[in-house]
Structure formats: structure tokens, C-alpha cells
């Protein structure tokens, strides 16, 4: 059963619990940080952008996890098989970063020792900028990317946890067109809207301490038409809805459950994966190219991440029964285990 939210509602009720668990195609539930009843130490808010053209990618994150803020920059070169990620942290932001309460408006800028990032809205564009002086052996990284062509539909989900007052509110916007440049190590990486696409992961919530998630995403074109998907599971009570959705020419097509089949008892991340769905509408093979792996373990806090980039080949079925086939379609799939 997939319950769709179709009217504008407050995200949280007077007790700080979700008013209506389920999925929507836009940000109909209204998020207000002041409605949360949990401690500011437990509130997690983030904006994550990934820009990818199949040859190289840029990922930018700004988040406020209550007890810790994190600003992350990743540059990935799939043709040469390397990636660099730098993630400076700050202590106890506790909401002072003023993360926007909607993805549709509001800007966020952060800075620290030797770096600065900003996510801004300008007319119908999203402008992403980043600068980090000591990014790697190649010295300073600088980036400016414009995102346009926001589709009509996106994936929005309201997921409760078994514990009262715990929830996750998430929007994924696929198939944003990207134009811009990244300069690093004496080279310039150019994103062109013809072949470069971005996804926004906009998350707000109060999480339980220990959890695991699986997430996969792809954005591109099929026969000149924008096409992509969001797939995932692993945490919370998803009985009202899954977060699995296809996007074709700006419109969403809802899927049921999708299973990530990771080889080697979910430890052999660089061998080929498969993806299967309970309704037969998402069946894919996945050939990994690069594993952006990281593990932070300071006992009480742990994050073990494997974000695996690669190429998808297979078929997806739209709501009207049309079959969309892809071959060597760029995207990623990840498994993340957290204690936070």
C-alpha cells in the first residue's frame, strides 16, 4: 500500500509526531523546526547536491546535526579511478546554521578555516559555490555550478520511527540540468547541461541513534527525454509508503519495494550488483566504477559509508505500462551504517 499525501498540511502535530506518514510529489507537508519536540541535539538537517556526467562528479553537503555540523566537498574522477573528499566539522551548531525550512526558497552559506560554501536561489536557478584552499595534493579547489530545469515532480516522503517524536522528512529532486566548472590541480572540469545532471537530497528530521540506509539514484536522458529514479529503504516505518520513484519527462511514477542485492554478504561493493522490485517494475544490473568509502568511528558516534558510483543497465516500467530501457546509465547506490 502506497499512501499519497495530496493536500498541504503541517508536517508535525502538536505532539511532534508526523501528521500524515506517506509520500508526496512535492513539498506539501510544511516543515517548521519550531514544531519539533525533541532536543536540539537530536535534530538533523542537511542539503546534499551531487552533479554527475558519468566521467566526473562533484558532491557538496551542508548539514547541521545538532551536536555537530559538517561541510563536505567531494571531487570524483571515474575515468582515472580516484576521488577526494574533505569534510570539515564544527561543534554544537544546534540550529544556528539556520537551514532553510523548504528547499524551494532560502539560502545557506557556511565558512571555516580555508573554505567557504553557499547554496543560493536566483530566479529559477540554484547557484552552488565552493572554495577550499587545501583540498588535496593539487592545492585549492574552486567550483561554481548553476542548476536549472527543475522538474514538476519530486520524491517527498514522511517516514516515522517507532519511537515517538522521531521522524524523517525527505525530498529528492532528480534530473536538474547542470552548468558550471570545477578547478583543481591545474585542471578544469566542465559540466554542460547536455550531459550533466544533479540530484538534491534535502533532509530534515529527528533520527533514532542506530540505523542503516540504502539509497540509489540516477539522472540522465533516454531518447532525449529526462529520466531518472530514486530508490531506497532500511530505516523507519515504511508501511505507509516507500521512497522508490521513477521520473520521466518531469513526472513521477511510484514504485513499490526495491531490493539492493550487494554481493559478498553486502561487503563486496566493487563486484556487480543487481536490483529487483516486488512489482517487477525496476530490474537493473549495476557495474561499480568507484567506491567513495569512508568510516568515522569514535565509539559513541560512527558512520560507515560506501557510496558506489557506476553504470546501470536494465528496464523500468512507468505507471502506464511503458517500458524504459537503459544501458550504461550513470548513477550510484550506497549503504550507510550510522550511530549518531
Amino acid at each position: 500500500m502506497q499512501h499519497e499525501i495530496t493536500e498541504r498540511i503541517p508536517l508535525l502535530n502538536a505532539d511532534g509526531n508526523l501528521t500524515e506518514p506517506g509520500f508526496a510529489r512535492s513539498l506539501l507537508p510544511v516543515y517548521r523546526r519550531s514544531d519539533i519536540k525533541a532536543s536540539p541535539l537530536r535534530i538533523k538537517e542537511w542539503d546534499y547536491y551531487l552533479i554527475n556526467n558519468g566521467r566526473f562528479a562533484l558532491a557538496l553537503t551542508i548539514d547541521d546535526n545538532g551536536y555537530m555540523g559538517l561541510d563536505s566537498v567531494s571531487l570524483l574522477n571515474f575515468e582515472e579511478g580516484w576521488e577526494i573528499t574533505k569534510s570539515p566539522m564544527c561543534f554544537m551548531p544546534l540550529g544556528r546554521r539556520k537551514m532553510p525550512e523548504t528547499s524551494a526558497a532560502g539560502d545557506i552559506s557556511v565558512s571555516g578555516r580555508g573554505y567557504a560554501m553557499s547554496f543560493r536561489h536566483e530566479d529559477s536557478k540554484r547557484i552552488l559555490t565552493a572554495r577550499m584552499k587545501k583540498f588535496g595534493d593539487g592545492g585549492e579547489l574552486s567550483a561554481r555550478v548553476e542548476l536549472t530545469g527543475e522538474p514538476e515532480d519530486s520524491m517527498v516522503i514522511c517516514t516515522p520511527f517507532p519511537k515517538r517524536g522521531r521522524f524523517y522528512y525527505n525530498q529528492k529532486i532528480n534530473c536538474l540540468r547542470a552548468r558550471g566548472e570545477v578547478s583543481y590541480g591545474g585542471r578544469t572540469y566542465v559540466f554542460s547541461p547536455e550531459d550533466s545532471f544533479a540530484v538534491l537530497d534535502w533532509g530534515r528530521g529527528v533520527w533514532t541513534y542506530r540505523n542503516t540506509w540504502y539509497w540509489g539514484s540516477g539522472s540522465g536522458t533516454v531518447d532525449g527525454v529526462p529520466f531518472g529514479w530514486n530508490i531506497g529503504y532500511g530505516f523507519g516505518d515504511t508501511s505507509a509508503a516507500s521512497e522508490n520513484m521513477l521520473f520521466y519527462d518531469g513526472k513521477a511514477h511510484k514504485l513499490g519495494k526495491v531490493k539492493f542485492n550487494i554481493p559478498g554478504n553486502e561487503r563486496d561493493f566493487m563486484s556487480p550488483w543487481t536490483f529487483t522490485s516486488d512489482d517487477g517494475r525496476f530490474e537493473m544490473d549495476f557495474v561499480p566504477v568507484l567506491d567513495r568509502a569512508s568510516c568515522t568511528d569514535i565509539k559513541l558516534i560512527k558512520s560507515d559509508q560506501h557510496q558506489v558510483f557506476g553504470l546501470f543497465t536494465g528496464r523500468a516500467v512507468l505507471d502506464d505500462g511503458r517500458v524504459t530501457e537503459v544501458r550504461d546509465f550513470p548513477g550510484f547506490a550506497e549503504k550507510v551504517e550510522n550511530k549518531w
Side-chain angles (χ1 to χ4, degrees):
M1 180 64 180
Q2 301 284 309
H3 174 68
E4 183 173 359
I5 301 166
T6 58
E7 296 182 353
R8 193 167 177 83
I9 57 170
L11 176 69
L12 302 177
N13 61 24
D15 296 325
N17 297 310
L18 288 175
T19 301
E20 188 175 351
F23 81 95
R25 301 168 196 264
S26 63
L27 283 181
L28 292 175
V30 178
Y31 172 79
R32 290 187 292 263
R33 183 183 171 98
S34 60
D35 292 341
I36 296 175
K37 304 304 180 185
S39 164
L41 289 168
R42 301 301 307 159
I43 300 173
K44 304 187 188 305
E45 302 176 310
W46 65 73
D47 291 13
Y48 167 86
Y49 287 94
L50 172 73
I51 305 98
N52 186 3
N53 63 12
R55 302 183 305 279
F56 49 86
L58 174 72
L60 302 173
T61 305
I62 300 175
D63 79 11
D64 184 330
N65 284 333
Y67 56 83
M68 177 268 289
L70 180 142
D71 306 316
S72 185
V73 179
S74 295
L75 179 63
L76 308 100
N77 188 318
F78 305 125
E79 294 178 326
E80 297 179 5
W82 57 263
E83 67 90 14
I84 301 172
T85 298
K86 300 295 183 183
S87 303
M89 294 183 286
C90 65
F91 184 61
M92 292 287 182
L94 296 173
R96 289 191 296 272
R97 299 192 136 193
K98 304 296 182 184
M99 302 292 288
E101 293 186 331
T102 172
S103 72
D107 302 334
I108 177 70
S109 297
V110 295
S111 61
R113 182 174 296 178
Y115 79 94
M117 277 199 292
S118 70
F119 302 157
R120 297 184 293 108
H121 290 80
E122 186 176 293
D123 299 324
S124 60
K125 299 178 181 178
R126 296 171 185 262
I127 311 295
L128 316 179
T129 62
R131 179 183 58 82
M132 189 168 286
K133 288 185 177 180
K134 296 180 180 179
F135 182 68
D137 292 340
E140 179 173 334
L141 175 143
S142 63
R144 187 182 192 277
V145 181
E146 296 183 358
L147 305 181
T148 58
E150 186 165 327
E152 180 179 351
D153 288 353
S154 59
M155 192 292 300
V156 175
I157 192 164
C158 305
T159 303
F161 289 91
K163 189 172 182 179
R164 292 181 62 82
R166 303 294 192 262
F167 69 92
Y168 182 44
Y169 185 38
N170 183 217
Q171 180 184 37
K172 305 280 185 19
I173 303 177
N174 284 66
C175 299
L176 293 157
R177 297 274 184 172
R179 179 193 300 275
E181 295 184 353
V182 181
S183 297
Y184 172 69
R187 301 167 65 177
T188 300
Y189 300 85
V190 179
F191 292 109
S192 300
E194 293 77 22
D195 66 359
S196 301
F197 296 86
V199 59
L200 167 62
D201 173 14
W202 186 88
R204 305 292 187 266
V206 180
W207 286 68
T208 51
Y209 173 62
R210 188 189 302 268
N211 49 73
T212 297
W213 75 62
Y214 301 80
W215 176 35
S217 180
S219 292
T221 59
V222 173
D223 297 328
V225 178
F227 177 68
W229 60 79
N230 184 83
I231 52 176
Y233 60 98
F235 60 87
D237 179 359
T238 57
S239 59
S242 76
E243 65 176 81
N244 302 314
M245 194 174 279
L246 304 173
F247 305 97
Y248 186 85
D249 202 15
K251 301 297 291 183
H253 300 255
K254 191 71 183 68
L255 301 175
K257 295 180 180 179
V258 175
K259 178 71 169 59
F260 291 39
N261 302 304
I262 307 172
N265 196 25
E266 299 196 348
R267 291 184 176 88
D268 185 4
F269 293 99
M270 289 303 292
S271 290
W273 306 18
T274 62
F275 296 82
T276 57
S277 56
D278 63 346
D279 51 15
R281 292 178 54 193
F282 190 86
E283 304 293 323
M284 293 282 174
D285 296 326
F286 177 63
V287 177
V289 173
L290 182 65
D291 180 7
R292 192 189 70 80
S294 66
C295 185
T296 301
D297 188 355
I298 54 175
K299 303 311 177 185
L300 289 177
I301 300 171
K302 179 181 179 180
S303 181
D304 188 359
Q305 306 181 25
H306 288 271
Q307 184 181 29
V308 183
F309 293 83
L311 302 172
F312 289 83
T313 296
R315 64 194 295 274
V317 182
L318 306 182
D319 287 345
D320 61 5
R322 284 179 293 166
V323 177
T324 301
E325 296 187 350
V326 298
R327 178 171 294 277
D328 297 333
F329 195 89
F332 71 86
E334 69 180 28
K335 179 184 178 181
V336 177
E337 299 178 69
N338 283 328
K339 293 192 296 184
W340 61 345

